[in-house]
Amino acid sequence: MVRTGFFFLLLMVCSCSYFRPEQKPESIARVGKSYLYKSDIATLVPAGTSKEDSLLLVRDYIDRWASQKLLIDAAERNLNDQKKSEFGMLIKQYRNDLYTKAYIEEMVKNTVDTVVSQEELKKYYTENKENFKTNGTLVRLRYVNLSKDNPRFATIRSKFFDYNKKDKKFWDTYALQFKSFALNDAVWVDMSQVYVKLPVVNPDNRDVIIRPGKKTEIQDKGDSYLIKVRDVIDKNQIAPFDYIKPTLTEVILNKRKLELIKKFEKEITDDAIKNKDYEVYK
């Protein structure tokens, strides 16, 4: 009787060992029939990470991997067939959308003409300018921020307000003495950038300082700000061509891409009909 019991116990131990999944080579964790391998975490730890931090990163990754696998297994066991069927259709549709989108984008990228001429930009702008309104105030100005004790202050002030492009050498010489400056008043900037660059300008005094043709000199804590405003465009006005030129380029390129996609979809359908790969049964 004792001998029979011993063999029964031995059989139980062997059976447990037999039915327990065997650890696969290079595997570091298992959930059900899913395995996580060393190769899956080969690039997980950044170079130079300490041993302690490396162990924490790996352990955290393994725990999150296991949790996800366990949740998926639980979901597959407990969700009803209708819900799983709905998700299956969504997954299939997502896969189809992902593949077709990637394929079309690759085809368009290799085909679309990315050169947009100045004439095309101006033509599109003229025909659609009402669609391009400013979201905020735009300004063209120049300014210089320098110490009011600068020994050449009077000369700099005079040349600034009577600005002449021929004085480039002068400005190149003295620019290093300025705390900040912007002398190109041909560029449109958003009013928010003006507030950042010129802290002496704020919403309260903006309407006094930021006016077309306005010349201003402001002393502030040992600094002197020389400001000359060229133009101002208020919010909800038609944006100037130069300011929205990058946007116009993007709009035209997107328009070309959409046209190419439609053309490509039509051609692939026509070819399928011609080759009898696509038929509609009545």
Side-chain angles (χ1 to χ4, degrees), residues 141-159:
L141 56 72
R142 63 177 184 268
Y143 79 91
V144 169
N145 173 17
L146 73 164
S147 171
K148 65 180 181 181
D149 297 326
N150 189 297
R152 297 297 304 275
F153 180 81
T155 303
I156 292 169
R157 182 184 184 281
S158 176
K159 284 187 175 292

Side-chain angles (χ1 to χ4, degrees), residues 159-173:
K159 284 187 175 292
F160 177 82
F161 287 123
D162 295 319
Y163 189 78
N164 192 320
K165 290 183 179 179
K166 293 180 181 179
D167 294 331
K168 183 178 183 303
K169 187 176 180 180
F170 172 86
W171 294 112
D172 288 345
T173 301

Side-chain angles (χ1 to χ4, degrees), residues 129-147:
K129 61 171 63 177
E130 290 295 331
N131 296 327
F132 298 101
K133 299 290 183 72
T134 56
N135 294 322
T137 301
L138 300 180
V139 186
R140 289 201 293 188
L141 56 72
R142 63 177 184 268
Y143 79 91
V144 169
N145 173 17
L146 73 164
S147 171

Side-chain angles (χ1 to χ4, degrees), residues 96-129:
N96 292 341
D97 291 343
L98 199 64
Y99 272 63
T100 54
K101 183 175 182 291
Y103 177 57
I104 289 174
E105 284 181 351
E106 191 67 24
M107 294 294 293
V108 169
K109 183 177 70 175
N110 295 328
T111 309
V112 69
D113 181 7
T114 57
V115 177
V116 183
S117 68
Q118 188 80 351
E119 292 74 17
E120 188 174 3
L121 286 168
K122 287 186 175 179
K123 182 176 183 294
Y124 192 87
Y125 174 73
T126 301
E127 294 173 352
N128 301 275
K129 61 171 63 177

Side-chain angles (χ1 to χ4, degrees), residues 247-259:
T247 302
L248 293 171
T249 302
E250 194 66 28
V251 168
I252 291 173
L253 288 177
N254 284 336
K255 188 169 176 286
R256 287 181 186 176
K257 290 176 183 178
L258 289 174
E259 290 171 352

